[in-house]
């Protein structure tokens, strides 16, 4: 049997040690941290760092959301659901109103709030946010681009033209160009932080993040890297013992 | 060079069929239904509020509170048209109903979004609703034969037919 040259085993022992050192230090530090989180009072700590939340698929940036002011109310739309976010909170505790497409505006008229998306207008009661009616394509003058209000009328820019309706929303008529000066077009506002927070929840438990770092599951294929590190430890032990034996001869 | 095997084509076909099942099937646009119902002369819409006793009655028919507080309808020369939605199993079915003298003149499935039960769209089924009206007990005065595998869709259409007849009686009487 061919014998390993003196020094070759030690060289491999050195390479394996260098390669595994980064992971071993990480595994050691995270392991110690997880074991003593409660001792240092961090057992209930949660992480809300945006890049990390995004990495876990809980980032606000990954979720379509927008918000509009209608009268003295604020409505937030998050991924197909509409919430009354007046006062910076989701008024319905998460049980929102379905609105499939991203809204283009909201206005308050009379006792109603109208929230428009390109193919649908949802009418809600100002008090309670109950759905009064859903106006779909057949009830609209075209694909809605903008929603606004002027006087006691509601205006939409749809299919390249300007239309108006009264608070009943029953009929749409073409609006004169001279009326456009009186329209206050609805524009998106910043999504309230409380709404973003509700989407994110309370954040990730620090213990969860450390355990995922420890096991390597925090990054793709990380678990395999941890497995290789574990095998490297076995190799280091065996090669270290063999080196010791060779040197004693 | 063989790029895709028969197995791959089979899997692609299955994915395609699955996706098509998820998509909404628009059999007739609601605006087309209204134009047909009123011979291209669609009247201005009216509103009926589903509050008070009217709301309770509609809730009793549907088995759940109505999705909105008011319903839109179109009426002209003794006929009324209604475009209503109801969930069969998991997704809403859009149905158009025309009523004349408190009897259903026609019932069309306009948009079907469920993954199964689409057979309810065929005239051989929807024609059963012709001339149906509400009996004393609030149910239809005709028997609607079901379709195997489409029970929930059949039930949804039957509920919508009853709602349309009830709401028609409310706007006609007023």
């Amino acid at each position: 049997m061919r014998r390993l040259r003196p020094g070759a085993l030690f060289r491999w022992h050195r390479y394996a040690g260098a390669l595994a050192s980064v992971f071993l230090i990480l595994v050691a530090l995270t392991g110690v941290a997880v074991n003593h989180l409660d001792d240092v009072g961090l057992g209930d700590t949660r992480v809300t760092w945006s890049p990390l939340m995004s990495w876990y698929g809980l980032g606000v940036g990954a979720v379509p959301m927008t918000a509009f002011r209608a009268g003295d109310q604020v409505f937030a739309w998050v991924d197909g659901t509409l919430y009354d976010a007046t006062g910076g909170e989701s008024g319905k505790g998460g049980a929102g109103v379905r609105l499939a497409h991203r809204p283009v505006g909201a206005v308050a008229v009379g006792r109603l709030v109208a929230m428009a998306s390109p193919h649908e207008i949802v009418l809600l009661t100002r008090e309670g946010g109950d759905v009064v009616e859903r106006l779909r394509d057949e009830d609209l003058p075209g694909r809605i681009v903008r929603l606004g209000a002027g006087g006691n009328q509601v205006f939409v820019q749809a299919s390249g033209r300007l239309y108006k309706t009264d608070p009943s929303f029953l009929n749409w008529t073409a609006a004169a160009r001279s009326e456009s000066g009186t329209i206050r077009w609805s524009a998106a506002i910043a999504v309230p932080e409380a709404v973003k927070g509700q989407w994110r929840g309370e954040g990730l438990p620090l213990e969860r993040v450390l355990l995922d770092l420890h096991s390597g599951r925090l990054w793709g294929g990380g678990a395999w890297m941890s497995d290789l590190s574990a095998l490297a430890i076995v190799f280091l032990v065996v090669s270290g013992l063999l080196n010791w034996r060779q040197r004693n001869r | 060079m063989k790029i895709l095997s028969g197995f791959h084509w089979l899997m692609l076909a299955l994915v395609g069929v699955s996706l098509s099942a998820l998509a909404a099937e628009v059999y007739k646009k609601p605006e087309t239904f209204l134009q047909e119902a009123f011979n291209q002369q669609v009247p201005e819409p009216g509103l009926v509020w589903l509050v008070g006793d009217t709301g309770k009655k509609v809730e009793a028919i549907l088995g759940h509170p109505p999705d909105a507080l008011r319903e839109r309808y179109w009426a002209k020369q003794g006929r009324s048209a209604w475009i209503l939605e109801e969930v069969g199993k998991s997704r809403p079915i859009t149905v158009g109903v025309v009523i004349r003298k408190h009897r259903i003149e026609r019932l069309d499935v306009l948009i079907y979004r469920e993954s199964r039960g689409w057979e309810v769209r065929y005239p051989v089924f929807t024609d059963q609703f012709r001339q149906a009206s509400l009996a004393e007990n609030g149910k239809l005065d005709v028997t609607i034969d079901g379709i195997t595998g489409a029970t929930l869709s059949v039930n949804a259409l039957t509920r919508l037919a009853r709602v349309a007849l009830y709401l028609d009686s409310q706007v006609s009487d007023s």
Side-chain angles (χ1 to χ4, degrees):
Chain A
M1 185 176 137
R2 198 176 141 196
R3 290 184 59 133
L4 204 61
R5 277 187 299 155
L9 188 62
F10 181 71
R11 201 161 54 246
W12 281 110
H13 179 85
R14 202 166 50 197
Y15 292 156
L19 279 171
S21 61
V22 175
F23 296 98
L24 293 177
I25 289 169
L26 187 67
V27 167
L29 291 178
T30 52
V32 169
V34 166
N35 281 342
H36 298 285
L37 270 184
D38 287 331
D39 299 339
V40 293
L42 294 175
D44 295 326
T45 303
R46 289 178 175 269
V47 183
T48 56
W49 188 43
S50 290
L52 189 67
M53 297 292 285
S54 299
W55 187 257
Y56 274 85
L58 297 171
V60 170
V63 181
M65 58 171 66
T66 186
F68 291 90
R69 185 176 296 282
D72 54 0
Q73 290 173 278
V74 174
F75 288 88
W77 177 87
V78 182
D79 198 22
T81 306
L82 200 58
Y83 301 99
D84 182 352
T86 308
E89 294 179 4
S90 170
K92 291 202 162 189
V97 173
R98 180 174 50 85
L99 182 63
H101 298 104
R102 192 184 188 90
V104 297
V107 296
V109 53
R111 293 161 66 180
L112 299 178
V113 167
M115 193 91 181
S117 68
H119 297 284
E120 187 176 18
I121 291 181
V122 178
L123 302 179
L124 307 167
T125 56
R126 290 181 78 162
E127 289 181 12
D130 296 315
V131 176
V132 173
E133 193 182 2
R134 290 180 179 275
L135 283 69
R136 301 224 165 82
D137 282 331
E138 64 271 22
D139 310 314
L140 301 172
R143 186 178 188 278
I144 297 176
V145 179
R146 281 205 293 179
L147 177 75
N152 197 31
Q153 291 181 308
V154 175
F155 293 82
V156 293
Q157 192 174 0
S159 304
R161 296 185 65 183
L162 190 63
Y163 296 90
K164 63 181 179 183
T165 185
D166 60 29
S168 73
F169 285 83
L170 276 176
N171 299 300
W172 296 92
T173 55
R177 190 166 291 179
S178 59
E179 293 179 274
S180 60
T182 65
I183 305 170
R184 295 182 311 279
W185 292 109
S186 173
I189 61 172
V191 177
E193 284 301 322
V195 174
K196 292 182 185 174
Q198 281 185 336
W199 171 260
R200 276 194 303 248
E202 297 174 332
L204 292 158
L206 177 60
E207 186 179 8
R208 173 79 265 155
V209 177
L210 288 172
L211 282 170
D212 287 344
L213 262 173
H214 188 74
S215 65
R217 290 194 176 87
L218 194 58
W219 52 83
W224 287 101
M225 296 303 290
S226 288
D227 291 346
L228 281 176
S229 301
L231 291 174
I233 293 174
V234 175
F235 177 76
L236 286 172
V237 170
V238 173
S239 58
L241 287 171
L242 288 174
N243 274 323
W244 186 28
R245 189 178 151 205
Q246 279 185 349
R247 286 180 183 229
N248 283 342
R249 276 182 182 176
Chain B
M1 186 174 69
K2 192 174 183 181
I3 298 172
L4 289 175
S5 68
F7 175 76
H8 291 128
W9 284 115
L10 177 66
M11 294 310 290
L12 281 172
L14 285 173
V15 168
V17 168
S18 303
L19 288 175
S20 66
L22 289 173
E25 286 282 346
V26 181
Y27 300 126
K28 187 178 287 182
K29 286 185 175 178
E31 48 266 48
T32 307
F33 169 78
L34 290 172
Q35 285 167 354
E36 287 178 4
F38 294 103
N39 198 21
Q40 311 300 320
Q41 303 287 317
V42 181
E44 301 291 340
L47 291 173
V48 57
W49 285 85
L50 310 184
V51 294
D53 289 342
T54 307
K56 287 177 186 167
K57 180 70 177 174
V58 171
E59 181 174 345
I61 294 172
L62 292 175
H64 60 79
D67 293 335
L69 293 176
R70 74 186 193 189
E71 199 61 63
R72 190 170 289 232
Y73 69 98
W74 294 259
K76 187 179 177 185
Q77 295 172 341
R79 298 163 76 236
S80 68
W82 305 80
I83 294 174
L84 305 170
E85 280 188 354
E86 173 68 342
V87 172
K89 183 179 181 186
S90 57
R91 306 193 71 196
I93 305 166
T94 305
V95 170
V97 187
V98 178
I99 297 170
R100 185 167 184 268
K101 293 183 178 174
H102 302 304
R103 289 191 176 275
I104 292 176
E105 192 174 276
R106 63 186 280 194
L107 182 148
D108 288 358
V109 175
L110 307 180
I111 305 171
Y112 194 84
R113 303 174 183 84
E114 300 278 14
S115 58
R116 60 178 64 185
W118 44 267
E119 297 90 339
V120 295
R121 65 175 275 221
Y122 289 126
V124 70
F125 174 75
T126 57
D127 281 353
Q128 296 183 93
F129 290 93
R130 285 182 187 265
Q131 295 307 309
S133 68
L134 282 183
E136 291 278 318
N137 60 5
K139 304 217 167 153
L140 296 181
D141 64 352
V142 298
T143 303
I144 304 297
D145 292 334
I147 299 174
T148 305
T151 306
L152 295 177
S153 295
V154 169
N155 291 345
L157 263 62
T158 305
R159 290 196 296 273
L160 289 181
R162 290 170 61 198
V163 168
L165 284 164
Y166 170 70
L167 293 179
D168 172 75
S169 71
Q170 296 300 296
V171 299
S172 301
D173 295 345
S174 64

